[in-house]
Amino acid sequence: MANAPREHWGTRIGVILAVAGSAVGLGNFLRFPVQAAENGGGAFMIPYLLALVFIGVPMMWVEWTAGRYGGGYGHSSAPGIFQALWKRNPAIKYVGVLGILGPLIIYMFYVYIESWTLAYSYYSLTGKLTAAANAGQLTGFLSGLQGLSQNGWFASMAPAFIFFCITFLINIGITYFGIRGGIEKVCNIALPILLIFGVLLAIRVLTLFAPDPLHPDWSSFNGLGFLWNPDFSALKSGKVWLAAAGQVFFTLSLGMGVILTYSSYLRETDDIALSGLTAASTNEFAEVILGGSIIVPAAFVFFGPEGIVDIAKSGAFNLGFVTMPGIFGHLPLGQLFSFLWFFMLFLAGITSSISLAQPMVGFLEDEFGMSRRRAVLIFGIFTFILCQPAVWFLSNGVVDDLDFWGGNFFIVLGATIEIILVAWIFGMDKAWAEMHVGSSIRVPRIFRFIIKYITPVFLLIILGTWFVQDWIPFIFMEGVPSENIPYVLGTRLGILAIFVLLCAMVRVAWQRKKRAAQKEV
Amino acid sequence: MDVGGWIMLGFMWGGVITLLIYCFAKILTTDKSTEL
């Protein structure tokens, strides 16, 4: 079972753009502005900034450090990396299964949502989308595409399924070409294009000024004010602090196992500290500057201060897929700006979804000695089947449940385990020394204290509070309509089956390696 | 947008842009150049 030499990133910019591409996703443009507007506006930025300093950046450094360290032992996924960090505990590799399971669960629905952005880009260019003139028609357009209703826009699920298949094949194709030839090359092109599109859209929205003479107060700058005017009384609410911590956590792709995998392809003396900080700051540029300057100011200009509150309450997806095309329909060159918006979301989605595939593909390559071609083929067949419930049972609560487990539960749990593993079991002295091998900058010493004490405590508080407040009701399916319960239960049994399968695969892989080592002796 | 909004926006935008410029300037001037 001779493994081929491990792949490495080609350039430092390449790995930074790949990690930033993984972090910059739909949430930067849809989730962040809604969270900020609903939680104190400018005052939200105070807990957001604190969470970035005490959770986001330290966790980013911890994941890069752990990943590169595990990569040095020939592992690119969490089971092997966790085992390398805690060699004396043979059970820790099974805990690491969370670092493959989490991305896999997100992949099961994310690719389908990503395919809607590709479909909307296409229909923006053909003019079909801009023909939908009002919110009612745009809602019908979205539900028709999703197959939730048959209407004049779409008579069947066929277009949605075709766009899903195209998006899926693009993802698999990029993954097939590997770290350097696929992911790095695509991110080197896609991320700059995404940022340029974002800047163009932000400029267009901010130069709308006040287009309606009847409402001179409905201006783009007052729209910015809706997001940035601070309401400091909101800081008394624990909910606002948790929302800010959650936003920072989700936006940086922490705890999923994705950064662990990407950084495992670094060489032993490649820089971590500066590269990790650069990837985080690129993500913040996309979130705080671009994400905050498009959707909320645009909606404010057309719907005013009262309308935007109702729109924000309808959720981030409604804002992105119903409100935004409605706004573009009122602008000169609306088709073009609609295309820019949805294609920007598509690029943000694809640079994230290819990162979700890599932990599983890397696991098959490294722990089973498979060629990339074989690993990607198995991954492709396996995930194509796993994606089907999200495609066909969208209205039955399947995606919400997958999002809860993959996008909330496992990543917060995974990050908490990871920080304790690195800071307390692997040891802060070793972790600090490892972080600075080949480093281009010296991390301020205060972060030793933050990583060892503050970040784990913060994460334990978030984990405990969310578990009691939000997760217990969700786990016990409170509010799930009775007709959806079989689908939700089926989803959970499926996740459990995948978890058991992955644990069995870890066991087989380690036994095979042990036998191979004994034979050599 | 009121003065408080402009202050918060200026602080966050300024902070993010400064950090981004610092990081990329450091990468470009480091002895490893842009290559790993």
Side-chain angles (χ1 to χ4, degrees), chain A residues 326-377:
Chain A
I327 290 167
F328 292 131
H330 290 91
L331 298 180
L333 300 174
Q335 264 179 264
L336 174 67
F337 285 107
S338 181
F339 169 76
L340 288 183
W341 168 249
F342 286 109
F343 200 68
M344 179 188 72
L345 292 184
F346 175 69
L347 293 176
I350 200 151
T351 51
S352 299
S353 59
I354 52 176
S355 75
L356 297 169
Q358 194 54 38
M360 178 78 183
V361 171
F363 173 70
L364 294 175
E365 282 184 293
D366 291 335
E367 313 306 351
F368 285 91
M370 285 185 195
S371 66
R372 170 157 283 266
R373 186 179 170 176
R374 193 162 176 215
V376 173
L377 184 70

XYZ file of all heavy atoms in Angstrom, chain A residues 326-377:
413
model
N -35.802 41.620 -7.485
C -36.856 42.624 -7.604
C -36.269 44.016 -7.713
O -36.723 44.850 -8.508
N -35.241 44.283 -6.916
C -34.569 45.593 -6.949
C -33.853 45.793 -8.286
O -33.970 46.849 -8.912
C -33.575 45.699 -5.771
C -34.346 45.789 -4.454
C -32.640 46.881 -5.943
C -33.500 45.591 -3.222
N -33.141 44.748 -8.742
C -32.403 44.884 -10.011
C -33.358 45.155 -11.173
O -32.993 45.820 -12.135
C -31.578 43.623 -10.291
C -30.441 43.428 -9.320
C -30.239 42.216 -8.687
C -29.570 44.474 -9.040
C -29.200 42.036 -7.794
C -28.522 44.306 -8.140
C -28.340 43.088 -7.513
N -34.577 44.637 -11.046
C -35.578 44.858 -12.083
C -35.922 46.338 -12.264
O -36.404 46.749 -13.319
N -35.667 47.154 -11.223
C -35.965 48.592 -11.301
C -34.777 49.413 -11.800
O -34.885 50.622 -11.968
C -36.361 49.128 -9.914
C -37.692 48.644 -9.448
N -37.840 47.496 -8.702
C -38.935 49.126 -9.643
C -39.117 47.309 -8.442
N -39.802 48.284 -9.007
N -33.630 48.768 -11.983
C -32.415 49.516 -12.337
C -32.126 49.421 -13.830
O -32.428 48.398 -14.456
C -31.201 48.938 -11.580
C -31.205 48.990 -10.060
C -29.925 48.372 -9.524
C -31.327 50.426 -9.587
N -31.504 50.487 -14.404
C -30.975 50.335 -15.757
C -29.907 49.230 -15.740
O -29.195 49.074 -14.728
C -30.326 51.695 -16.056
C -30.800 52.615 -14.994
C -31.229 51.813 -13.827
N -29.788 48.458 -16.790
C -28.857 47.311 -16.865
C -29.147 46.293 -15.758
O -28.241 45.639 -15.244
C -27.392 47.762 -16.784
C -26.887 48.726 -17.866
C -25.467 49.180 -17.551
C -26.927 48.056 -19.231
N -30.431 46.194 -15.382
C -30.808 45.296 -14.288
C -30.419 43.853 -14.540
O -30.004 43.153 -13.617
N -30.536 43.415 -15.805
C -30.161 42.032 -16.134
C -28.701 41.768 -15.803
O -28.350 40.740 -15.243
C -30.365 41.778 -17.638
C -31.705 41.137 -17.975
C -31.846 40.941 -19.465
O -32.444 41.782 -20.103
N -31.320 39.874 -19.995
N -27.859 42.754 -16.167
C -26.421 42.598 -15.937
C -26.129 42.546 -14.432
O -25.382 41.671 -13.963
C -25.658 43.763 -16.580
C -24.164 43.809 -16.287
C -23.444 42.642 -16.938
C -23.559 45.136 -16.743
N -26.735 43.460 -13.664
C -26.448 43.485 -12.226
C -27.032 42.255 -11.523
O -26.453 41.745 -10.570
C -26.949 44.788 -11.592
C -26.074 45.951 -11.920
C -26.481 46.927 -12.808
C -24.801 46.053 -11.375
C -25.655 47.992 -13.138
C -23.960 47.100 -11.696
C -24.389 48.073 -12.582
N -28.159 41.783 -12.033
C -28.728 40.550 -11.481
C -27.769 39.390 -11.721
O -27.512 38.578 -10.827
C -30.080 40.282 -12.153
O -30.657 39.133 -11.622
N -27.201 39.323 -12.941
C -26.216 38.270 -13.248
C -24.998 38.399 -12.339
O -24.529 37.402 -11.770
C -25.795 38.350 -14.719
C -24.601 37.491 -15.023
C -24.722 36.111 -15.142
C -23.330 38.050 -15.159
C -23.613 35.311 -15.397
C -22.209 37.268 -15.403
C -22.355 35.897 -15.525
N -24.493 39.643 -12.192
C -23.300 39.845 -11.342
C -23.580 39.351 -9.919
O -22.743 38.696 -9.297
C -22.915 41.332 -11.279
C -22.308 41.978 -12.520
C -21.933 43.424 -12.223
C -21.072 41.226 -12.970
N -24.755 39.664 -9.400
C -25.121 39.279 -8.028
C -25.153 37.756 -7.883
O -24.512 37.198 -7.000
C -26.475 39.902 -7.677
C -27.130 39.379 -6.428
C -28.261 38.626 -6.356
C -26.695 39.559 -5.073
N -28.565 38.332 -5.043
C -27.614 38.893 -4.235
C -25.613 40.214 -4.480
C -27.500 38.866 -2.849
C -25.497 40.186 -3.085
C -26.430 39.524 -2.302
N -25.875 37.093 -8.763
C -26.021 35.644 -8.606
C -24.746 34.889 -8.983
O -24.433 33.873 -8.371
C -27.237 35.126 -9.394
C -28.513 35.498 -8.726
C -29.355 36.453 -9.263
C -28.864 34.932 -7.498
C -30.522 36.824 -8.612
C -30.026 35.299 -6.840
C -30.856 36.245 -7.403
N -24.006 35.413 -9.965
C -22.762 34.707 -10.300
C -21.728 34.918 -9.201
O -20.929 34.027 -8.922
C -22.235 35.166 -11.664
C -21.279 34.170 -12.262
C -21.728 32.925 -12.682
C -19.929 34.448 -12.376
C -20.849 31.986 -13.201
C -19.036 33.519 -12.897
C -19.501 32.288 -13.313
N -21.781 36.096 -8.555
C -20.892 36.312 -7.398
C -21.238 35.298 -6.302
O -20.341 34.683 -5.705
C -21.069 37.731 -6.867
C -20.199 38.037 -5.660
S -20.598 39.624 -4.905
C -22.160 39.270 -4.138
N -22.519 35.083 -6.048
C -22.927 34.091 -5.041
C -22.502 32.692 -5.476
O -22.084 31.873 -4.647
C -24.445 34.128 -4.821
C -25.028 35.373 -4.154
C -26.525 35.191 -3.929
C -24.355 35.690 -2.827
N -22.597 32.410 -6.783
C -22.185 31.090 -7.278
C -20.689 30.868 -7.032
O -20.279 29.803 -6.558
C -22.510 30.960 -8.773
C -22.006 29.674 -9.371
C -22.575 28.452 -9.030
C -20.938 29.674 -10.258
C -22.102 27.267 -9.563
C -20.454 28.492 -10.799
C -21.044 27.283 -10.449
N -19.877 31.887 -7.327
C -18.425 31.753 -7.104
C -18.128 31.598 -5.610
O -17.272 30.803 -5.209
C -17.683 32.968 -7.669
C -17.709 33.126 -9.196
C -17.021 34.417 -9.608
C -17.032 31.943 -9.883
N -18.861 32.375 -4.783
C -18.676 32.243 -3.327
C -19.057 30.832 -2.896
O -18.398 30.226 -2.048
C -19.530 33.268 -2.590
N -20.100 30.291 -3.501
C -20.560 28.944 -3.149
C -19.589 27.877 -3.595
O -19.242 26.975 -2.824
N -19.088 27.987 -4.818
C -18.260 26.887 -5.339
C -16.884 26.839 -4.661
O -16.357 25.755 -4.418
C -18.140 26.954 -6.880
C -17.733 25.575 -7.393
C -17.148 27.993 -7.363
C -18.212 25.248 -8.762
N -16.322 28.019 -4.324
C -15.033 27.991 -3.628
C -15.202 27.423 -2.212
O -14.236 26.970 -1.606
C -14.396 29.400 -3.563
O -15.369 30.320 -3.056
C -13.910 29.859 -4.917
N -16.436 27.461 -1.699
C -16.692 26.839 -0.390
C -16.969 25.344 -0.549
O -16.451 24.528 0.219
C -17.893 27.498 0.295
O -17.640 28.855 0.517
N -17.782 24.976 -1.550
C -18.169 23.556 -1.652
C -16.993 22.665 -2.031
O -16.926 21.521 -1.585
C -19.348 23.384 -2.620
O -19.014 23.856 -3.893
N -16.060 23.173 -2.856
C -14.908 22.314 -3.184
C -14.065 22.059 -1.934
O -13.431 21.016 -1.809
C -14.032 22.880 -4.334
C -13.615 24.325 -4.069
C -14.732 22.750 -5.672
C -12.664 24.906 -5.122
N -14.097 23.008 -0.997
C -13.344 22.788 0.247
C -14.040 21.746 1.129
O -13.394 21.060 1.913
C -13.169 24.097 1.014
O -14.370 24.481 1.639
N -15.373 21.630 0.986
C -16.109 20.654 1.788
C -15.832 19.228 1.317
O -15.946 18.268 2.085
C -17.617 20.929 1.707
C -18.101 22.263 2.263
C -19.551 22.518 1.878
C -17.963 22.299 3.776
N -15.489 19.090 0.042
C -15.228 17.755 -0.512
C -13.865 17.212 -0.086
O -13.677 15.997 0.048
C -15.304 17.808 -2.038
N -12.918 18.131 0.131
C -11.532 17.693 0.292
C -11.252 16.825 1.531
O -10.457 15.882 1.432
C -10.611 18.928 0.272
C -9.149 18.607 0.097
C -8.847 17.759 -1.119
O -9.455 17.923 -2.169
N -7.923 16.813 -0.971
N -11.882 17.073 2.708
C -11.576 16.190 3.851
C -11.838 14.712 3.552
O -11.023 13.847 3.872
C -12.506 16.713 4.956
C -12.695 18.147 4.628
C -12.724 18.207 3.132
N -12.965 14.403 2.913
C -13.301 13.013 2.605
C -12.365 12.443 1.528
O -11.865 11.317 1.639
C -14.762 12.941 2.136
C -15.229 11.574 1.736
S -15.599 10.561 3.170
C -16.036 9.026 2.374
N -12.124 13.241 0.493
C -11.244 12.782 -0.588
C -9.829 12.555 -0.037
O -9.187 11.534 -0.317
C -11.242 13.802 -1.763
C -10.181 13.457 -2.789
C -12.617 13.842 -2.423
N -9.356 13.509 0.775
C -8.036 13.368 1.382
C -7.957 12.156 2.299
O -6.935 11.458 2.347
N -9.039 11.887 3.007
C -9.099 10.715 3.900
C -8.931 9.428 3.086
O -8.150 8.545 3.458
C -10.448 10.723 4.630
C -10.731 9.506 5.452
C -10.030 9.249 6.625
C -11.713 8.595 5.064
C -10.296 8.122 7.386
C -11.984 7.468 5.818
C -11.281 7.229 6.978
N -9.645 9.316 1.975
C -9.543 8.115 1.131
C -8.142 7.984 0.547
O -7.586 6.884 0.478
C -10.582 8.169 0.004
C -12.049 8.090 0.431
C -12.972 8.287 -0.765
C -12.362 6.762 1.115
N -7.571 9.113 0.135
C -6.225 9.070 -0.462
C -5.170 8.660 0.563
O -4.363 7.764 0.323
C -5.866 10.447 -1.003
C -6.503 10.794 -2.326
C -5.999 12.149 -2.797
O -6.309 13.164 -2.146
O -5.299 12.192 -3.804
N -5.190 9.334 1.715
C -4.103 9.158 2.676
C -4.241 7.905 3.518
O -3.258 7.229 3.805
C -4.006 10.376 3.610
C -3.537 11.601 2.872
O -2.866 11.432 1.847
O -3.853 12.710 3.314
N -5.443 7.597 3.952
C -5.597 6.472 4.889
C -5.825 5.145 4.169
O -5.622 4.086 4.747
C -6.741 6.746 5.872
C -6.752 8.137 6.522
C -5.455 8.522 7.214
O -4.555 7.674 7.362
O -5.308 9.708 7.584
N -6.297 5.190 2.922
C -6.501 3.947 2.164
C -5.556 3.827 0.977
O -5.634 2.858 0.224
C -7.958 3.854 1.677
C -8.924 3.506 2.779
C -9.534 4.504 3.509
C -9.191 2.184 3.104
C -10.408 4.197 4.546
C -10.067 1.873 4.140
C -10.671 2.878 4.860
N -4.680 4.802 0.810
C -3.697 4.740 -0.274
C -4.319 4.777 -1.657
O -3.732 4.275 -2.623
N -5.522 5.356 -1.774
C -6.175 5.404 -3.091
C -5.568 6.490 -3.960
O -5.071 7.495 -3.456
C -7.670 5.738 -2.925
C -8.504 4.612 -2.427
S -10.227 5.161 -2.444
C -10.943 3.894 -1.405
N -5.656 6.280 -5.282
C -5.277 7.360 -6.204
C -6.360 8.427 -6.119
O -7.499 8.149 -5.713
C -5.214 6.825 -7.637
O -6.523 6.438 -8.052
N -6.006 9.646 -6.508
C -7.000 10.725 -6.459
C -8.195 10.393 -7.349
O -9.334 10.620 -6.987
C -6.349 12.042 -6.904
C -7.350 13.170 -7.119
C -6.720 14.514 -6.998
N -6.494 14.872 -5.610
C -7.343 15.598 -4.865
N -8.458 16.040 -5.383
N -7.067 15.885 -3.620
N -7.904 9.823 -8.526
C -8.977 9.502 -9.462
C -10.009 8.582 -8.807
O -11.219 8.820 -8.891
C -8.339 8.828 -10.680
C -9.292 8.580 -11.788
C -8.565 7.949 -12.951
N -9.533 7.502 -13.940
C -9.215 6.986 -15.101
N -7.964 6.858 -15.442
N -10.148 6.596 -15.943
N -9.499 7.545 -8.134
C -10.408 6.575 -7.511
C -11.152 7.215 -6.332
O -12.349 6.996 -6.145
C -9.584 5.362 -7.040
C -10.441 4.205 -6.692
C -9.642 2.910 -6.666
N -10.525 1.847 -6.222
C -10.144 0.840 -5.472
N -8.885 0.726 -5.101
N -11.004 -0.069 -5.112
N -10.394 7.990 -5.523
C -11.010 8.628 -4.354
C -12.128 9.580 -4.782
O -13.214 9.592 -4.185
C -9.946 9.389 -3.558
N -11.881 10.349 -5.852
C -12.895 11.319 -6.310
C -14.091 10.588 -6.919
O -15.247 10.988 -6.716
C -12.273 12.327 -7.320
C -13.340 13.220 -7.934
C -11.221 13.173 -6.630
N -13.826 9.475 -7.617
C -14.925 8.688 -8.208
C -15.838 8.140 -7.103
O -17.072 8.269 -7.178
C -14.349 7.543 -9.044
C -15.382 6.705 -9.794
C -15.992 7.523 -10.931
C -14.739 5.436 -10.367
